[in-house]
Amino acid sequence: IAMQILPFSWVGLLLILAGVGLLVAEIFVTSFGTLFTAGILCLLFGGTMLFVLPESFQQLLTFLLKRCDATLKLLALAGALLLLFKPGA
């Protein structure tokens, strides 16, 4: 009953399901992170499209997504540097 009240987007739900599918496929397919990246992007875009939000919430969500994106990039860079310069190697 509650889903009838909220402005809901089927495209957002399909993107979230596609993202989960891509993340599961990454476990079984050697794609060197391509499926993982596509899955994360689908989850992020699907999450932003799932419900229609007022402009103020949309700005907050955009701000938070940019911060999460920057954090993930820094973590990926740190992981790559750790692989390149292994201590004790």
Side-chain angles (χ1 to χ4, degrees):
I1 296 175
M3 292 302 282
Q4 295 173 354
I5 297 171
L6 293 173
F8 177 73
S9 171
W10 285 102
V11 176
L13 181 65
L14 289 176
L15 276 173
I16 289 174
L17 292 175
V20 171
L22 288 169
L23 291 176
V24 170
E26 175 69 27
I27 297 171
F28 301 106
V29 177
T30 306
S31 67
F32 304 104
T34 305
L35 293 176
F36 176 77
T37 304
I40 293 296
L41 288 174
C42 283
L43 283 174
L44 288 174
F45 287 126
T48 58
M49 293 174 61
L50 189 59
F51 297 109
V52 178
L53 300 172
E55 185 66 31
S56 60
F57 288 122
Q58 194 71 24
Q59 289 174 350
L60 176 65
L61 186 62
T62 304
F63 173 77
L64 291 175
L65 284 176
K66 286 180 182 178
R67 295 297 175 241
C68 288
D69 181 50
T71 304
L72 287 174
K73 286 179 183 176
L74 286 174
L75 287 174
L77 179 63
L81 290 175
L82 273 174
L83 287 176
L84 286 176
F85 304 109
K86 287 184 183 178

